[in-house]
Amino acid sequence: MKLRLQIILIFLIASLLVVGTSAVIYYHYVRQIIINQSVNQLHSVSEAKRARIRAILDERIRNVDMLKKNIPLNKQLKKYLEDPTAINQIALYSALIQAKEDIHGVNKIVLTDSSGKVILKSSTKIHDSETDYSHHSCIKKLARHKITHTYAYNTDNKLVFTFATHIYRNYVILIEFDVNDIHAVLLDYSGLGKSGESFLIEKNGEDSIRIISPLRFSKNIFHSLPINSFYKEALSGKNSIYRDVPGYRKKNVIASTKYIDYTGWAIISQMDVDENLDQVRQLQSLTLMVALSIIFLMFIFIYLYAYYFVKPINDIAETARKISEGDLTHRVRYKSNNELGTLARAFNDMTDKLLETQKELESKIKELNRSNEELDRYAHVISHDLKSPLNSLKGLLDIFKLEYKNKLDAQGEQMIYMMEEQLKNMKLMIKGMLEYAEVKSNIKQIEEIDLNVIVSDIIKNMFVPTHINISIISTLPTIKIERILIQQIFQNLISNAVKYMDKEKGEIKIGCTENTDHYTFYVSDNGPGIDKKYHEKIFELFKTASVEKSYNSSGIGLAIVKKIIQDKQGDIWLTSEQGIGTTFYFKLPKS
């Protein structure tokens, strides 16, 4: 993945996290504010309506008390009771009518005795002919209360609020008030939105309640509903806020409840949760649009920043690629005083130094090549110059042997033999020195070599005594290497094992183990073994572990093997036990 895309993705993901988290927090915060505003609004509306209804009821109670103490009415009632003539009845009726007119909102006034038998009514309607109010709940409650009230339909099938109290000599006066002013309070939907409403409830037995005022979405009064904890708490005198409760229309609502003292009523002000959620959904859409706009603007900013930030890095990367291809003349074309500009200048300075180093290195390589060529020529010259006197000495020895063959005793012949052996060793040393000097000059092209084939060919072309068995005990790998070098390694190790074998039944084993990044080869024999003090020396030039004169060795072979393996970043070592055998290990990297 390109760096520019990585930067864009990282910043974009970070932006999404930051903006998304902020949007969610903001949404829930404002959502709570909206709900709290609705709750506070309902609380205020409910409290205001309760206060207005309380004021109306208090006014009604004052009116009842005033009527109870009405002097003309009490005076005329006294006269009528002492002398129930038609004149006194008319006078009492006139006082009753006057009292009714003095009080606002009164529909009817009824005078009864303590048992509820009607004495006189302010109404003269034909259908209002009821003469016995003993069944009226207000009359029944007067045994326990000074003033009683009911909220029900009257004989005119009109919803009224009726008060009852004792007047002169335990006679009872019932006053019917209309409820229009109370209903006007409840039917005022200001501050309640499209779904809000306020209504009154009271208990209707132990297991239900009833709504006793008009509803916004239904004009029927006295709905009976199963009682639940929401209504039960309201009627128990608890003033509460409910944020998500089921309403009478089977919709969840936010509600505020206020209990109205001494009435047994509770006023419920409620609003559908969905209406609040509409505002929340609008907020959600607005928040989403704002968040997406911010993310889009940040994406543009990030894209431009990534382009500005990545361009010099791409220039540096391109310059590095050109340098890796050998073009040290390429430079980063970015000028700025920021950190990237400093990096570009540092990279150009590094390239300048690399160019200078390359020139110095090329100069030293040329000088080294010249030195190597001179050393090669010197080695060849030295070997040629040494071979000439050795060949001359060999010729003189041959002539000497022919001339004085019959004149030499055993000691003389032994001395001649020792001189010939020393001449052979000198020739072997010169040959080994040439081979060591020519290890790199003989290197050919690298190729894939099947070592099973190479080692088998070496064994076939080598003189192996019949008492020695050479076996490849594990499959050898195919590796990339110069053919002549790997041949020299195995040729020297196997030939040494054959040369120094001292057992009647010799065993030479060749194998390999594979590791993660290299191969480890081994050549093992059951020969004489090598003393531990020679384990390092045998890899030096002209050093051998044998003191036996019968072994013709230049001491060059293992030095050549070590040189080849080290040039390939490998390693060579051995384990040996005298009288039991020796194992040579060498490691070559796979790459």
Side-chain angles (χ1 to χ4, degrees):
M1 186 182 292
K2 291 187 176 179
L3 179 61
R4 184 186 303 176
L5 184 57
Q6 288 179 347
I7 292 173
I8 291 173
L9 285 176
I10 290 170
F11 277 92
L12 191 59
I13 291 170
S15 302
L16 285 171
L17 288 174
V18 172
V19 175
T21 304
S22 302
V24 169
I25 293 172
Y26 173 76
Y27 165 75
H28 285 285
Y29 173 74
V30 178
R31 179 179 183 273
Q32 193 62 40
I33 289 176
I34 291 172
I35 293 174
N36 287 341
Q37 285 176 344
S38 298
V39 167
N40 294 335
Q41 181 69 18
L42 283 174
H43 176 76
S44 300
V45 168
S46 186
E47 182 61 38
K49 289 182 184 294
R50 179 174 72 165
R52 289 169 65 186
I53 291 173
R54 282 286 302 273
I56 292 170
L57 295 178
D58 290 343
E59 179 66 21
R60 295 286 188 264
I61 292 171
R62 284 194 297 271
N63 290 338
V64 170
D65 188 59
M66 185 176 67
L67 192 59
K68 177 181 178 180
K69 297 175 182 179
N70 188 290
I71 295 174
L73 182 60
N74 278 276
K75 184 177 178 181
Q76 291 301 326
L77 177 60
K78 179 181 178 183
K79 283 183 180 181
Y80 175 75
L81 294 176
E82 291 174 352
D83 184 12
T85 61
I87 293 174
N88 287 336
Q89 187 179 22
I90 292 171
L92 178 60
Y93 179 76
S94 296
L96 196 64
I97 294 298
Q98 184 60 49
K100 176 178 175 292
E101 291 176 353
D102 290 342
I103 300 173
H104 172 71
V106 176
N107 290 331
K108 180 172 64 176
I109 301 176
V110 180
L111 278 172
T112 72
D113 60 16
S114 59
S115 65
K117 185 179 179 181
V118 175
I119 298 174
L120 194 64
K121 296 180 182 180
S122 65
S123 174
T124 59
K125 294 179 181 179
I126 296 173
H127 61 270
D128 188 11
S129 58
E130 189 175 3
T131 61
D132 187 2
Y133 274 72
S134 60
H135 63 281
H136 201 288
S137 61
C138 281
I139 300 293
K140 293 178 179 179
K141 293 176 184 178
L142 276 175
R144 301 186 304 274
H145 304 283
K146 291 182 179 181
I147 297 178
T148 62
H149 61 82
T150 61
Y151 185 81
Y153 287 100
N154 63 6
T155 55
D156 295 332
N157 199 31
K158 184 177 180 182
L159 193 62
V160 294
F161 199 30
T162 304
F163 284 86
T165 189
H166 288 286
I167 199 168
Y168 180 72
R169 288 186 179 179
N170 280 336
Y171 278 78
V172 177
I173 185 168
L174 289 94
I175 307 101
E176 286 185 2
F177 291 96
D178 64 45
V179 293
N180 293 336
D181 45 2
I182 293 177
H183 287 179
V185 172
L186 296 172
L187 296 175
D188 180 6
Y189 303 126
S190 301
L192 294 175
K194 295 179 181 179
S195 64
E197 60 182 328
S198 297
F199 54 87
L200 295 171
I201 62 170
E202 68 176 7
K203 279 188 179 180
N204 186 28
E206 291 297 325
D207 299 325
S208 67
I209 61 102
R210 65 176 180 171
I211 299 173
I212 59 174
S213 64
L215 299 168
R216 185 172 188 174
F217 303 101
S218 174
K219 298 304 178 184
N220 296 325
I221 302 178
F222 298 114
H223 281 278
S224 290
L225 300 171
I227 195 165
N228 58 27
S229 59
F230 164 38
Y231 295 129
K232 187 176 182 180
E233 289 179 359
L235 291 171
S236 68
K238 185 177 181 180
N239 300 324
S240 298
I241 294 292
Y242 301 89
R243 295 177 183 271
D244 195 356
V245 291
Y248 73 90
R249 291 188 295 136
K250 310 300 182 184
K251 291 185 176 182
N252 281 18
V253 297
I254 301 170
S256 172
T257 64
K258 299 291 180 182
Y259 184 72
I260 302 176
D261 297 334
Y262 69 77
T263 63
W265 301 344
I267 181 170
I268 310 294
S269 295
Q270 67 179 35
M271 183 184 296
D272 288 355
V273 172
D274 287 343
E275 183 174 348
N276 283 277
L277 291 181
D278 287 340
Q279 299 179 54
V280 173
R281 291 187 190 101
Q282 293 175 5
L283 169 68
Q284 188 177 26
S285 300
L286 178 62
T287 303
L288 182 61
M289 289 177 61
V290 171
L292 290 175
S293 300
I294 293 172
I295 290 171
F296 177 73
L297 292 174
M298 292 189 73
F299 174 78
I300 294 174
F301 170 76
I302 292 165
Y303 181 84
L304 294 175
Y305 176 77
Y307 176 80
Y308 171 79
F309 180 78
V310 172
K311 187 179 183 303
I313 296 178
N314 286 337
D315 289 345
I316 293 171
E318 178 64 18
T319 302
R321 187 183 64 80
K322 293 278 184 72
I323 291 171
S324 68
E325 293 174 354
D327 183 8
L328 294 179
T329 60
H330 196 78
R331 296 292 181 272
V332 180
R333 295 179 178 84
Y334 180 76
K335 295 181 180 180
S336 177
N337 292 325
N338 59 18
E339 288 81 358
L340 288 173
T342 302
L343 177 62
R345 288 190 294 274
F347 197 86
N348 288 337
D349 292 342
M350 181 188 72
T351 307
D352 291 339
K353 291 179 180 178
L354 279 174
L355 185 59
E356 292 176 4
T357 304
Q358 185 190 42
K359 290 178 179 178
E360 292 177 2
L361 186 61
E362 287 175 352
S363 175
K364 289 182 179 179
I365 289 172
K366 289 179 180 179
E367 185 178 346
L368 183 61
N369 288 335
R370 284 195 301 271
S371 298
N372 287 336
E373 289 174 0
E374 290 176 1
L375 283 172
D376 288 342
R377 286 197 299 272
Y378 179 75
H380 282 86
V381 169
I382 290 296
S383 63
H384 182 269
D385 290 347
L386 288 174
K387 281 181 181 180
S388 295
L390 287 176
N391 289 332
S392 300
L393 283 173
K394 181 67 170 62
L396 288 172
L397 276 175
D398 290 340
I399 294 170
F400 186 83
K401 284 169 65 178
L402 288 172
E403 290 290 333
Y404 296 96
K405 183 178 180 180
N406 298 322
K407 297 179 180 180
L408 292 173
D409 57 10
Q411 185 178 3
E413 289 179 356
Q414 179 65 28
M415 293 178 67
I416 294 296
Y417 173 76
M418 290 176 62
M419 291 177 67
E420 287 179 336
E421 289 299 313
Q422 291 299 322
L423 285 172
K424 286 180 183 180
N425 287 337
M426 286 292 293
K427 284 184 177 181
L428 285 173
M429 289 178 66
I430 292 169
K431 181 183 177 183
M433 190 170 63
L434 280 173
E435 288 176 354
Y436 186 82
E438 293 174 353
V439 166
K440 285 191 176 180
S441 62
N442 289 330
I443 291 175
K444 304 297 181 183
Q445 185 177 0
I446 293 175
E447 56 185 301
E448 284 195 352
I449 304 295
D450 184 349
L451 296 182
N452 295 287
V453 176
I454 287 289
V455 174
S456 296
D457 289 344
I458 290 171
I459 296 170
K460 287 178 185 178
N461 296 324
M462 183 182 295
F463 173 73
V464 181
T466 56
H467 71 282
I468 297 175
N469 178 53
I470 303 177
S471 59
I472 301 173
I473 63 173
S474 64
T475 303
L476 302 179
T478 298
I479 63 173
K480 287 185 177 182
I481 195 170
E482 296 86 342
R483 181 181 294 271
I484 190 171
L485 297 185
I486 198 67
Q487 283 177 334
Q488 283 183 294
I489 293 171
F490 279 105
Q491 176 80 38
N492 277 290
L493 294 177
I494 297 170
S495 64
N496 280 350
V498 171
K499 182 190 298 183
Y500 296 111
M501 180 58 67
D502 63 346
K503 302 294 190 297
E504 291 183 2
K505 187 176 181 181
E507 287 289 340
I508 299 173
K509 298 176 181 179
I510 302 164
C512 173
T513 59
E514 182 177 0
N515 299 93
T516 305
D517 57 353
H518 66 273
Y519 295 107
T520 301
F521 301 93
Y522 59 87
V523 176
S524 176
D525 65 64
N526 62 340
I530 300 173
D531 194 332
K532 194 170 183 178
K533 66 183 179 181
Y534 294 111
H535 284 194
E536 296 295 332
K537 290 184 178 181
I538 59 174
F539 293 109
E540 298 175 9
L541 280 171
F542 310 124
K543 300 290 185 181
T544 67
S546 173
V547 295
E548 296 291 335
K549 297 181 180 178
S550 58
Y551 298 125
N552 292 321
S553 175
S554 64
I556 297 291
L558 289 178
I560 292 174
V561 169
K562 184 175 182 179
K563 181 175 176 62
I564 293 170
I565 291 171
Q566 287 183 339
D567 286 345
K568 295 296 179 183
Q569 286 78 50
D571 193 15
I572 184 168
W573 69 98
L574 66 106
T575 60
S576 182
E577 189 172 347
Q578 285 188 294
I580 294 176
T582 303
T583 301
F584 280 88
Y585 297 92
F586 66 95
K587 180 172 68 176
L588 290 176
K590 288 183 177 180
S591 57

